[in-house]
Amino acid sequence: MQELCSNETTYGHESEAFSNIQIPPKIPFFVRLDGWKFRKLADKLETEKPFDRRFAQCLVESAKALFRAGMNPTLVYVASDELNILFTASVPFNGRVEKINSVLAGIVSSVFSIRTNFTFGKQAIIAFDSRIVLTPKKEMIAEYLSWRQINLWRNHNNAYAYWKLRHEGYKPSEIAKKLQRLKANVLHELLFQEGVNLAKTPTWQRRGILVYKRPYVKQVTNHRIIRWRITEDWDLPLFTTENGKTLLNKILQWNQIKRKHKIRRKQ
Ligand SMILES: Nc1nc2c(ncn2[C@@H]2O[C@H](COP(=O)(O)OP(=O)(O)O)[C@@H](O)[C@H]2O)c(=O)[nH]1
Ligand SMILES: [Mg+2]
């Protein structure tokens, strides 16, 4: 008994070397979750290549689960196998990095696993890695999202080229070499000749999907109240365009209203 107690002391708080790492207060940040070995997973689930709307829908459902679990993100940007989760005003777990990374990855992995099992009828081990990216200046939020959107566009082009070449009988190692050498315009032309117009694929494949809460007014007996609905946007503009900036600003403003509304309700 004595031994047990001393062990408990030895491996207490002071041994948890990283538990005190916290996000600095009042700094907006993204949590980026990236699917672990999702290329292999897509093969195992026998998804459509290069993109499968059902697979993306499972990711969107996982993003929605974060809102339902009370994490209060401002938005979630789903791009390929990534979830980019923005926190501006409300910060889960007092900003404790270990907690945020592990619990968010856990929620998303379990919901995605249940959803893919239901949709594709196959069981697989699902995991996401998780990292935190600080965006201390307001303009960095749009910059960060544009960066992930550009990365998505590049991956989208490569994915179409990859599967085209696979169908032509090339081996994956040969394709990797070939794609490394190809310039973007050559790749576009090559696919265009094969009947694939990279600018005309479904918008969500090229630009990603945004999940956020949108306000609506509800009439209750003799007064009106604001309610919030989780929305999925599969038809996004580029974040660098005026439309993209307007959408982002609107979501950030709504988030402020939501926060004020909550504070008032607490009083
Ligand atoms: N078939 C299919 N695969 C997808 C879809 N979305 C993402 N992926 C896969 O997810 C991978 C994401 O890239 P990356 O994170 O670098 O690869 P990972 O290390 O295998 O997870 C892509 O290469 C695709 O193979 C989809 O809608 N359909
Ligand atoms: Mg991945």
Side-chain angles (χ1 to χ4, degrees):
M1 191 64 190
Q2 184 66 43
E3 242 169 62
L4 196 71
C5 289
S6 67
N7 271 350
E8 269 174 22
T9 316
T10 314
Y11 297 104
H13 241 331
E14 60 280 7
S15 302
E16 292 175 9
F18 309 107
S19 66
N20 285 332
I21 301 177
Q22 270 177 304
I23 292 160
K26 297 195 175 143
I27 293 199
F29 64 93
F30 281 91
V31 179
R32 181 161 83 246
L33 302 181
D34 187 302
W36 176 65
K37 294 188 178 177
F38 266 34
R39 175 172 285 216
K40 233 181 182 172
L41 175 72
D43 279 346
K44 181 158 190 194
L45 299 178
E46 295 179 46
T47 61
E48 283 169 28
K49 309 287 184 340
F51 292 96
D52 191 320
R53 199 184 162 95
R54 297 166 304 164
F55 193 76
Q57 187 68 56
C58 292
L59 283 164
V60 167
E61 294 307 325
S62 314
K64 286 177 163 181
L66 293 170
F67 289 89
R68 296 198 176 113
M71 294 295 140
N72 276 322
T74 302
L75 57 83
V76 183
Y77 177 48
V78 180
S80 181
D81 69 339
E82 274 178 29
L83 264 67
N84 296 278
I85 309 150
L86 172 64
F87 291 96
T88 50
S90 170
V91 179
F93 308 116
N94 256 337
R96 285 175 58 202
V97 167
E98 278 195 329
K99 272 272 201 186
I100 295 174
N101 277 332
S102 53
V103 177
L104 266 57
I107 292 172
V108 168
S109 302
S110 64
V111 176
F112 190 72
S113 175
I114 292 166
R115 285 282 165 174
T116 48
N117 186 7
F118 180 76
T119 307
F120 297 96
K122 290 195 167 73
Q123 290 189 351
I125 293 171
I126 311 274
F128 285 79
D129 70 46
S130 178
R131 71 197 66 194
I132 286 169
V133 181
L134 301 178
T135 48
K137 291 188 185 142
K138 191 170 176 259
E139 65 271 19
M140 290 170 89
I141 293 174
E143 266 171 27
Y144 174 87
L145 289 169
S146 305
W147 172 52
R148 296 326 295 157
Q149 201 171 39
I150 290 165
N151 186 60
L152 173 68
W153 166 242
R154 221 179 284 129
N155 287 344
H156 156 272
N157 298 345
N158 279 335
Y160 270 97
Y162 178 89
W163 286 106
K164 199 86 211 158
L165 293 167
R166 277 293 293 271
H167 288 139
E168 283 176 19
Y170 286 96
K171 290 190 193 126
S173 55
E174 292 171 330
I175 300 172
K177 270 190 212 145
K178 221 173 155 64
L179 288 182
Q180 253 175 7
R181 282 198 306 266
L182 277 185
K183 288 221 166 86
N185 56 341
V186 181
L187 187 143
H188 279 243
E189 193 50 40
L190 185 125
L191 284 166
F192 194 74
Q193 280 165 13
E194 297 284 339
V196 181
N197 185 346
L198 285 173
K200 291 276 161 62
T201 59
T203 317
W204 65 270
Q205 297 182 4
R206 284 179 281 123
R207 298 193 182 155
I209 307 151
L210 205 58
V211 184
Y212 54 91
K213 273 193 176 173
R214 177 189 276 276
Y216 67 96
V217 177
K218 193 175 171 188
Q219 186 80 32
V220 180
T221 53
N222 56 354
H223 65 288
R224 295 159 127 209
I225 50 170
I226 299 178
R227 283 273 179 266
W228 300 87
R229 187 177 286 134
I230 306 172
T231 312
E232 339 173 341
D233 191 340
W234 290 67
D235 194 24
L236 286 179
L238 286 172
F239 291 122
T240 45
T241 61
E242 275 315 304
N243 280 349
K245 286 178 194 160
T246 308
L247 174 65
L248 275 181
N249 282 334
K250 215 159 49 180
I251 296 170
L252 292 173
Q253 274 166 14
W254 283 336
N255 204 61
Q256 276 172 352
I257 300 173
K258 195 163 72 194
R259 198 172 146 73
K260 277 191 195 140
H261 193 70
K262 229 182 218 153
I263 292 168
R264 228 181 296 138
R265 277 216 297 209
K266 269 190 195 158
Q267 283 165 350

